[in-house]
DNA sequence: GCGCGGAAACTTGTATACGAATCCTGCCCG
DNA sequence: CGGGCAGGATTCGTATACAAGTTTCCGCGC
């Protein structure tokens, strides 16, 4: 853990856009931030698979803090749809159903479709450079075979775009959506699918640079649809799923 | 208080779309829900003006619960941008700056622009009836001079629309946006502005019914812009604001 | 042998206690 | 007379203690 560039969203009860926050300010809030990030990264890297139960006492011992602190971190994680909190029964890693996954992707398409033109109105050459740097980092992780980091960096590219749209509220929504999408991808991506995408991010930046708004918007839409299409989101109910899964085993 | 139809968002760590929740299930979670709603309604009705400090001990005594419970409610309120939590300095009612207000409205326009066509794809006649009923309730509050309820019901109409779009994620975002807009309107609306709008909701439903997509989308956009335009969102810094406010008093 | 209580162990929910930071007041000094 | 500093009071942040709910497992009856 402790990937130094990991970027779990720090929003929530913060109006200011950004803060240094490099070193723990007073050793106060940094603690539950640490728990938040650790769980966040673990879930995203699939070290904590969906459905995993997170007992409070365990985390207490791991991080040497009281249950009060752990609880706050869990509450935030639940609010961001990374965990699910079941009353009196503890927290488990979220496992969004296919229907929910589709809705998350649909919402994301709806937002990003409109972010592209906003970026084109606002972006400076320096911003485009930033986007290209992000793409470079992404490719690097891709070629290194670091799947977890690739998923994260790939999401980060979209977050930079959202930031360039110049609306912090929108950026907050996109942060939540990208996070949830990453979780869904980690959950449902077909195992054998090729990790590297075919430079759609690169092409998108080019289209933005050239001012081709309709083409850029279109590419964004197709890009997101393609990602969703790769997922194994068979729309079966939990019951059928179970029946199907057992159908090959009951005759020895 | 205890307006029986008040609808503070219950989302967050809940995957299920809706629950009865009429009576307190076990007296357990209902308590901090009660605090949440009470503060929510009080802020929206401007009984708690922006900047008001909410001491934890006060709420503890009012609701006869421990600080633990109050704290959780405050955390949720802060996450929904109704309060602002300042470390070691307590919670205050949020007072979004003009710049933030603009961003909230911009984000809302962006989403609702796309919600209209989605509604037109999904809505049944029964849904349109629901919308018209909501409008009726809104007009009633309007004519009764109940400004606080009118703001709330007026927002509820938009939430029904979001619900009819058939995407729960989107509905969650819209819930947050409508809430924040209500707070902003309560903050910045010009005092003398007429409370009743000129039946734009009614016309919107008609256009949706007739299948005139472009016209409906356009009306929605203009509707939201009109609301924003009515606000007193002078882009002045806090300092200038103060200087201006005192300029009429220092020469007796 | 199988299913069904029931009690113990464990986990979560809530309240309370204590340490730390902030705010307020009054005093001292320039 | 005004500004700054120190001490007390208040309020927040964290840890701990106790109560209530859930899970587990064992023993009993069928």
């Amino acid at each position: 853990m402790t990937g130094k560039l990991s970027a779990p969203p720090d929003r929530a009860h913060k109006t200011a856009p950004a803060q240094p926050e490099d070193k723990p300010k007073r050793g106060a809030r940094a603690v539950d931030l640490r728990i938040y990030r650790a769980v966040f990264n673990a879930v995203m890297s699939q070290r904590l698979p969906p459905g995993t139960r997170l007992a409070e006492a365990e985390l207490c011992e791991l991080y040497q803090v009281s249950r009060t602190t752990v609880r706050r971190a869990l509450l935030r994680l639940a609010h961001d749809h990374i965990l699910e909190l079941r009353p009196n029964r503890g927290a488990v890693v979220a496992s969004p159903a296919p229907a929910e996954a589709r809705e998350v992707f649909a919402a994301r398409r709806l937002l990003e479709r409109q972010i592209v033109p906003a970026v084109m109105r606002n972006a400076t050459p320096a911003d485009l450079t930033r986007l290209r740097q992000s793409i470079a980092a992404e490719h690097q992780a891709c070629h290194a075979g670091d799947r977890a980091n690739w998923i994260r960096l790939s999401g980060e590219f979209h977050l930079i775009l959202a930031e360039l749209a110049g609306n912090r509220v929108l950026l907050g929504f996109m942060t939540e959506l990208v996070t949830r999408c990453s979780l869904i991808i980690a959950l449902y991506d077909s195992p054998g699918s090729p990790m590297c995408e075919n430079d759609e991010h690169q092409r998108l930046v080019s289209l933005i640079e050239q001012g081709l708004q309709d083409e850029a918007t279109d590419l964004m839409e197709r890009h997101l649809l393609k990602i969703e299409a790769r997922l194994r989101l068979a729309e079966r109910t939990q019951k059928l799923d179970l029946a199907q899964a057992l159908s090959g085993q009951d005759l020895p």
Side-chain angles (χ1 to χ4, degrees), chain A residues 105 109 220-230:
Chain A
F105 268 94
R109 279 201 308 277
M220 173 63 91
E221 181 104 14
R222 278 184 286 121
H223 173 52
L224 294 173
L225 280 171
K226 197 191 267 184
I227 294 176
E228 186 180 351
R230 269 191 359 197

Side-chain angles (χ1 to χ4, degrees), chain A residues 37-51:
Chain A
R37 296 191 178 193
V39 175
F40 183 96
N41 290 329
V43 170
M44 288 306 158
S45 331
Q46 294 182 279
R47 275 170 307 187
L48 289 176

Side-chain angles (χ1 to χ4, degrees), chain A residues 176-195:
Chain A
E176 175 175 337
L177 286 175
V178 168
T179 299
R180 293 176 76 172
C181 281
S182 297
L183 179 62
I184 291 166
I185 291 171
L187 244 181
Y188 287 109
D189 205 8
S190 7
S193 74
M195 216 175 72

Side-chain angles (χ1 to χ4, degrees), chain A residues 143-237:
Chain A
H143 290 133
D146 188 346
R147 182 186 189 76
N149 253 321
W150 172 68
I151 291 179
R152 187 175 59 72
L153 286 166
S154 162
E156 223 158 68
F157 171 80
H158 289 261
L159 287 185
I160 296 175
L161 274 177
E163 193 187 328
L164 296 183
N167 187 316
R168 278 185 300 243
V169 180
L170 224 51
L171 175 59
F173 289 158
M174 277 302 300
T175 305
E176 175 175 337
L177 286 175
V178 168
T179 299
R180 293 176 76 172
C181 281
S182 297
L183 179 62
I184 291 166
I185 291 171
L187 244 181
Y188 287 109
D189 205 8
S190 7
S193 74
M195 216 175 72
C196 278
E197 69 200 286
N198 27 10
D199 73 352
E200 287 180 320
H201 287 180
Q202 191 92 49
R203 281 193 286 143
L204 183 65
V205 174
S206 292
L207 289 176
I208 288 175
E209 193 172 29
Q210 294 168 47
L212 299 170
Q213 180 170 316
D214 291 346
E215 287 84 346
T217 307
D218 228 58
L219 177 58
M220 173 63 91
E221 181 104 14
R222 278 184 286 121
H223 173 52
L224 294 173
L225 280 171
K226 197 191 267 184
I227 294 176
E228 186 180 351
R230 269 191 359 197
L231 304 181
R232 301 211 165 277
L233 287 176
E235 192 69 78
R236 56 204 174 186
T237 119

Side-chain angles (χ1 to χ4, degrees), chain A residues 59-75:
Chain A
L59 294 169
C60 289
E61 223 177 308
L62 258 167
Y63 294 97
Q64 295 296 318
V65 292
S66 75
R67 276 181 53 220
T68 310
T69 306
V70 168
R71 227 151 202 310
R72 213 186 19 251
L74 292 180
L75 213 65

